[in-house]
Amino acid sequence: EEIRIKLAQPTEGITEAIIYDAIGKKTIKKQLSASNFINNEWQIPVADLQPGLYIISLSNGQTVASKTFIKK
């Protein structure tokens, strides 16, 4: 199981992805770079996460974007 992050093109430099659980605990932290940007997306394994609500936060050092998702 994985979460896929699609972008038209990779951001400049390294992007950091952090996944938080519903109470704000950091569960996954991953560095994303252009070298692992394949088919216009990054893939982050989430098989070890328990079912529930999560927030993924992406930051390139200048901009932060967050989105919620449900792991079934």
Side-chain angles (χ1 to χ4, degrees):
E1 296 173 77
E2 61 196 16
I3 187 167
R4 295 177 180 204
I5 302 164
K6 290 190 170 270
L7 297 174
Q9 60 186 6
T11 60
E12 291 295 320
I14 295 177
T15 299
E16 181 177 72
I18 301 175
I19 297 177
Y20 300 93
D21 65 13
I23 59 171
K25 180 182 171 193
K26 189 186 304 182
T27 58
I28 295 175
K29 181 177 179 181
K30 185 168 176 83
Q31 299 293 319
L32 307 173
S33 65
S35 64
N36 58 7
F37 187 74
I38 302 168
N39 296 327
N40 290 340
E41 68 184 18
W42 283 298
Q43 298 175 3
I44 300 174
V46 294
D48 292 339
L49 295 178
Q50 295 295 317
L53 179 69
Y54 292 88
I55 300 165
I56 184 165
S57 178
L58 300 173
S59 173
N60 66 358
Q62 298 175 3
T63 305
V64 176
S66 298
K67 183 88 173 165
T68 58
F69 70 95
I70 296 174
K71 166 82 167 31
K72 293 183 179 185

